[in-house]
Amino acid sequence: MNLLRLAPLALFFMAGAAGANAPLAIPVADHVVVDKTNRTITLYADGEPVHTIAGIALGRAPTGHKRFQGDSRTPEGRYTITYGNPQSAYYLSLHISYPNAADTAYARAHGRSAGGDIFIHGQPNGRTGDPIRGDWTEGCIAVSNAEMDLLWQSVPDGTLIDILP
């Protein structure tokens, strides 16, 4: 577990009825659920939802489970967040353990590679302004940089992640 990116409670700032810079406390997550259909990531702690991010971006071919390298699909199934990468080509990234043994076996049976390097990440480094709209990744899950800050602080290595169709 990368303890440098975790805190007992991650404190973030949000604008809203309470005004700018009102603190929002998010407990450390023990489970992440990505709902591809509803375009959300929900963080859970002790079985309770503690935060939801809406409007996530997926791979350019978002329908269906990732089968092969280069298919631009986002995987579906149960995986693990294996590590955080602060040196990513995108604003921070959390590695997802795709492919699992079943993914690899399926691809091999079809004479192909399952691919890999699937992450939750922010926007491309150096990008300013609003996040890229629409599905634009090669199979990753993209969020705004502010949302990535929240995930970076709240999702430790080893966290279970379910990616639903």
Side-chain angles (χ1 to χ4, degrees):
M1 179 184 307
N2 184 346
L3 297 176
L4 294 177
R5 67 180 172 89
L6 296 179
L9 278 184
L11 293 179
F12 298 93
F13 297 95
M14 66 178 197
N21 298 331
L24 173 67
I26 305 294
V28 172
D30 54 28
H31 187 200
V32 175
V33 176
V34 175
D35 185 327
K36 289 172 54 175
T37 299
N38 292 315
R39 304 301 174 107
T40 59
I41 297 174
T42 303
L43 306 181
Y44 289 82
D46 297 322
E48 297 294 324
V50 295
H51 188 75
T52 297
I53 297 169
I56 65 174
L58 303 170
R60 290 188 315 264
T63 303
H65 176 52
K66 182 168 192 60
R67 294 294 188 189
F68 308 113
Q69 182 175 4
D71 66 10
S72 295
R73 290 186 174 155
T74 300
E76 297 170 357
R78 177 164 280 185
Y79 299 95
T80 303
I81 299 296
T82 55
Y83 63 89
N85 180 7
Q87 302 300 319
S88 173
Y90 302 91
Y91 182 76
L92 304 174
S93 64
L94 299 175
H95 183 259
I96 297 171
S97 64
Y98 174 88
N100 61 28
D103 298 322
T104 300
Y106 181 89
R108 279 192 187 147
H110 290 83
R112 309 266 311 267
S113 168
D117 287 336
I118 301 297
F119 292 85
I120 301 173
H121 59 69
Q123 300 298 296
N125 287 334
R127 179 177 173 80
T128 59
D130 292 335
I132 299 170
R133 293 180 185 231
D135 294 321
W136 57 272
T137 76
E138 295 295 321
C140 295
I141 300 161
V143 298
S144 73
N145 291 352
E147 292 161 336
M148 195 62 225
D149 280 332
L150 182 143
L151 293 171
W152 186 260
Q153 292 296 318
S154 299
V155 179
D157 298 350
T159 300
L160 185 65
I161 179 169
D162 286 312
I163 305 173
L164 308 177

